[in-house]
């Protein structure tokens, strides 16, 4: 996750969306510890797969329709095992990160190859 300062948030509290909570396996009201992790390497490639129940009846190229707009110049950090939700075309598709190169954690940048094939 990327941490942003919010002057409206009480000290010692933070807000995070459902997807972030799921990735770190914490429920509402749970305790978390936040620490800097330093710069992440730029990803050479990320391999993501959609969850089956979110693509039923969906046709077309998922990379062009969902993933490229989601990652375009956003410099999003990802790690193997992360799940994320992408909205587009009046649909929401959930993806699972199944592989990253060169490390377990990377930043998806404009030069990162996005793979979305396999099972």
């Amino acid at each position: 996750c990327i941490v942003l300062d919010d002057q409206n948030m009480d000290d010692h509290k933070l807000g995070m969306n459902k997807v972030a909570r799921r990735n770190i396996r914490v429920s509402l009201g749970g305790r978390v510890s936040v620490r800097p992790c330093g710069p992440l390497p730029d990803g050479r490639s990320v391999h993501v797969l959609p969850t089956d129940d979110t693509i039923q009846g969906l046709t077309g190229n998922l990379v062009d329709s969902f993933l490229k707009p989601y990652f375009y110049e956003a410099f999003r950090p990802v790690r193997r095992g992360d799940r994320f939700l992408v909205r587009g075309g009046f649909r929401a598709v959930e993806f699972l990160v199944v592989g990253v190169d060169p490390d377990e954690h990377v930043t998806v940048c404009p030069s990162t190859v996005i793979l979305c094939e396999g099972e």
Side-chain angles (χ1 to χ4, degrees):
C1 287
I2 297 173
V3 177
L4 303 173
D5 186 28
D6 184 347
Q7 298 298 325
N8 297 321
M9 186 69 65
D10 293 339
D11 287 346
H12 306 289
K13 292 188 178 185
L14 60 89
M16 69 176 72
N17 66 25
K18 178 180 172 181
V19 174
R21 287 193 311 270
R22 186 169 161 189
N23 283 334
I24 64 170
R25 295 167 185 83
V26 68
S27 58
L28 283 173
R31 293 181 156 248
V32 297
S33 175
V34 178
R35 61 182 167 82
C37 68
L40 298 177
D42 290 347
R44 284 192 283 268
S45 66
V46 295
H47 187 187
V48 300
L49 295 175
T51 56
D52 289 336
D53 60 334
T54 64
I55 60 166
Q56 291 177 347
L58 190 62
T59 59
N61 186 319
L62 294 176
V63 173
D64 291 337
S65 300
F66 290 90
L67 295 171
K68 282 185 181 178
Y70 178 77
F71 285 117
Y72 181 72
E73 293 188 2
F75 296 90
R76 296 181 190 272
V78 298
R79 71 182 175 112
R80 190 175 306 115
D82 276 355
R83 292 182 179 270
F84 58 95
L85 193 64
V86 181
R87 300 181 193 285
F90 305 106
R91 296 282 303 260
V93 177
E94 183 179 45
F95 292 90
L96 170 66
V97 179
V98 295
V100 297
D101 180 43
D103 203 358
E104 182 179 344
H105 301 79
V106 299
T107 299
V108 179
C109 59
S111 64
T112 304
V113 175
I114 302 169
L115 307 169
C116 186
E117 296 176 354
E119 294 185 21

